[in-house]
Amino acid sequence: MIKIENLNKVFETGGIKFEAIKDVNLNINDKDIYGIIGLSGAGKSTLIRCLNRLEEPTSGSISIEGVDILSLGKEELRLFRKKIGMIFQDFNLLKQKTVYDNVALPLYLEKMETKKIKEKVDLLLDYVGLKDKKNSYPSELSGGQKQRVAIARAIANDPKVLLSDEATSSLDPQTTVSILELLKRIQGELGITIIMITHQMEVVKQICNKVAIMDGGVVIEENTVENVFNNPKTTLAKSFIGSVNTLAEEEIINPNDFKGKLIRLGYLGESSNNPIVSQMIKNFQIEVNILSGSIDKLQSTSVGHLILELIGEESEIEKSMDFLKQKNVTVEVIE
Amino acid sequence: MKDLFLEGTIETLYMVSLSTIFSLLMGFPLGLLLVLTEKGGIWPKPQFNKVLDGVINVLRSIPFIILMILVFPLSNLIVQKSIGTTATIVPLSIAAAPFVARIMETSIREIDRGVIEMSQSLGSSVGEIIKYILIPEALPSIVSGITLVIINIIGYSAMAGALGGGGLGDIAIRFGLYKSGEKHNMYIALIIIILLVQSVQFIGNRIMFKIDKK
Ligand SMILES: Nc1ncnc2c1ncn2[C@@H]1O[C@H](COP(=O)(O)OP(=O)(O)OP(=O)(O)O)[C@@H](O)[C@H]1O
Ligand SMILES: [Mg+2]
């Protein structure tokens, strides 16, 4: 369990103060894969770096597994950091060292016996699928392979928490998927909590169960991934979701071009199995024109979106919309 | 005649190798400290850092010939002599040490900030960062720096010849300036110096090429 309360971070450069994190409160449960999404400069990296105090928060509190980490002294902090793995966008591998030595680094730091190190590193390399690259140098690896090495290194100490700062941002889509699958497997098999910083909703959609959306240092929306996809509250959340599904079309659809009323429906997995739209057409005096639709597969369920034009009497349209709401579909009028 | 050059070469090699070792022993820790203690560094001590930086700059700006004269008393104290091949090792080492410090500094600065943060995120201490990150990652760059240091020391050692330091520089200056009939000896000494510099550069490049995995 990670509890972040009233967290603030103020940077001061040349007398000018800049609030990078403003009063952030988050609760992250054990074994969550918790996504934190936001545009560039939103404060995501600053926030995640506060969690292992690579950045010192200005005020607030952070507790990880019941430990108040802001109260730790230098030496205590150093030891505590060994329980929190971290991976980065640019991998941060030692360029002059082999894959083996890179993965072994945390174990060298633990002063583990050479024989035990060898066993563990072999196991880890096998786990991330890089057994045959043991003696290669980072310059001989692809981006995806480099991140696998970094992941193996990050879990070498059996951490309880893994922090990932844009770990897939410099990888191509296919490699991204394979790295996300690896992280998902690690979370499942090793039972660790993962905090994923990203600016790609695709990443959140694929492996996260919860998500926080950050803007200007503030968490503006926070919920389960299903709920955010089904019913995004903020414009930013909508635009992030728009970047994953065909909802970008929503911007192309101009309500003035249609004589009827445009509505946008969002529904979760179970409701998508019922023929709700055809029931609506049968029950009410309206005509329906389907403008766009999509279904997104999430971690545990799927989320569908439909944009419809409803043509008919205002009262009939109202009743149809109430009907949809009763069926657990979110309805939003596009104006 | 052959003995003259053999002896000169041996003297030069003796001066250069010992001065290199001593300058590395002094300059290495200084360069390391320079990076570690800077503001925002791994072991920040800004006050100390300013002083160290100043001292290194001052030392670097003293012309070698003057430095030699300045450290006469020190040479006397350490090797009981202020003139001669062994005595010259003292000013040579002192002159090269700040240069080594700067080379160490730049080599370490080339390391990605992210790699250092990575090691901090693994809970490494300052000592462990030096041992596992800074030195190994900067090594190829340090080796190429050491090559430069040696070449510089060869150059200084030739200058030291003018003040009775012995070696090839001494031969070149003696024959070049004073023995008008035997100027060719100056050229021979010069050629040997050039060959020395070339071989150091060649070997340095080879080693760097071999160890650099970037
Ligand atoms: N050391 C620093 N000193 C001053 N300002 C900083 C510092 N680090 C970050 N900032 C500022 O804080 C804000 C948030 O930065 P941060 O790196 O957390 O953003 P981010 O959400 O991770 O962005 P990106 O997606 O580009 O990585 C930015 O405006 C940045 O300029
Ligand atoms: Mg960032």
Side-chain angles (χ1 to χ4, degrees), chain A residues 44-46 165-166 197:
Chain A
K44 311 177 295 290
S45 296
T46 308
D165 191 354
E166 308 256 15
I197 297 287

Side-chain angles (χ1 to χ4, degrees), chain A residues 282-328:
Chain A
K282 280 183 197 145
N283 291 347
F284 305 99
Q285 291 292 317
I286 53 164
E287 281 180 73
V288 172
N289 184 10
I290 297 176
L291 301 177
S292 122
S294 67
I295 293 186
D296 279 297
K297 273 220 96 40
L298 302 180
Q299 250 328 102
S300 52
T301 175
S302 56
V303 168
H305 287 287
L306 267 184
I307 296 182
L308 304 179
E309 180 187 18
L310 305 183
I311 303 163
E313 296 280 327
E314 189 62 31
S315 60
E316 286 298 304
I317 290 177
E318 284 301 325
K319 278 190 235 160
S320 321
M321 281 167 49
D322 287 340
F323 168 79
L324 289 171
K325 283 174 189 160
Q326 275 164 29
K327 299 281 179 188
N328 274 330

Side-chain angles (χ1 to χ4, degrees), chain A residues 11-13 18 20 38-47 55 89 165-166 197 199:
Chain A
F11 286 112
E12 204 171 337
T13 21
F18 180 83
L39 299 172
S40 186
K44 311 177 295 290
S45 296
T46 308
L47 177 61
E55 211 76 77
Q89 177 169 0
D165 191 354
E166 308 256 15
I197 297 287
H199 58 257

Side-chain angles (χ1 to χ4, degrees), chain B residues 54-74:
Chain B
V55 170
I56 289 175
N57 271 343
V58 168
L59 273 180
R60 278 199 72 185
S61 35
I62 303 175
F64 178 64
I65 289 285
I66 298 172
L67 184 81
M68 248 186 108
I69 298 167
L70 282 176
V71 299
F72 271 166
L74 189 64

Side-chain angles (χ1 to χ4, degrees), chain A residues 212-276:
Chain A
I213 297 160
M214 279 190 83
D215 187 21
V218 180
V219 171
I220 56 169
E221 190 165 344
E222 199 255 326
N223 214 324
T224 61
V225 173
E226 290 103 84
N227 283 340
V228 170
F229 266 77
N230 186 33
N231 189 15
K233 298 215 162 48
T234 56
T235 323
L236 189 62
K238 285 177 200 166
S239 81
F240 271 125
I241 294 166
S243 66
V244 212
N245 60 37
T246 51
L247 265 180
E249 285 171 30
E250 193 176 325
E251 277 147 36
I252 302 165
I253 296 170
N254 181 354
N256 297 331
D257 297 342
F258 300 89
K259 52 181 194 301
K261 191 172 204 124
L262 296 195
I263 59 170
R264 176 177 172 277
L265 310 184
Y267 46 89
L268 284 178
E270 319 84 61
S271 348
S272 60
N273 297 331
N274 301 326
I276 298 169

Side-chain angles (χ1 to χ4, degrees), chain B residues 138-154:
Chain B
L139 200 58
S141 171
I142 292 172
V143 166
S144 107
I146 293 176
T147 310
L148 277 182
V149 170
I150 299 175
I151 291 173
N152 257 303
I153 292 181
I154 293 176

Side-chain angles (χ1 to χ4, degrees), chain B residues 14-73:
Chain B
Y14 165 73
M15 273 189 291
V16 170
S17 51
L18 283 180
S19 310
T20 303
I21 292 170
F22 290 130
S23 65
L24 292 182
L25 287 179
M26 290 185 280
F28 245 72
L30 290 181
L32 206 51
L33 277 176
L34 212 49
V35 184
L36 294 179
T37 60
E38 73 184 345
K39 199 167 157 259
I42 299 161
W43 191 45
K45 300 265 176 289
Q47 301 285 332
F48 172 81
N49 189 267
K50 272 200 192 112
V51 175
L52 187 61
D53 197 66
V55 170
I56 289 175
N57 271 343
V58 168
L59 273 180
R60 278 199 72 185
S61 35
I62 303 175
F64 178 64
I65 289 285
I66 298 172
L67 184 81
M68 248 186 108
I69 298 167
L70 282 176
V71 299
F72 271 166

Side-chain angles (χ1 to χ4, degrees), chain B residues 81-122:
Chain B
K81 267 183 255 171
S82 53
I83 274 187
T85 313
T86 306
T88 307
I89 293 173
V90 178
L92 278 179
S93 310
I94 293 176
F99 185 52
V100 173
R102 289 291 178 212
I103 280 174
M104 190 70 186
E105 184 196 3
T106 27
S107 302
I108 293 177
R109 273 194 215 289
E110 279 167 26
I111 301 171
D112 229 339
R113 180 94 215 146
V115 174
I116 293 164
E117 290 199 332
M118 171 280 294
S119 70
Q120 286 173 324
S121 80
L122 291 176

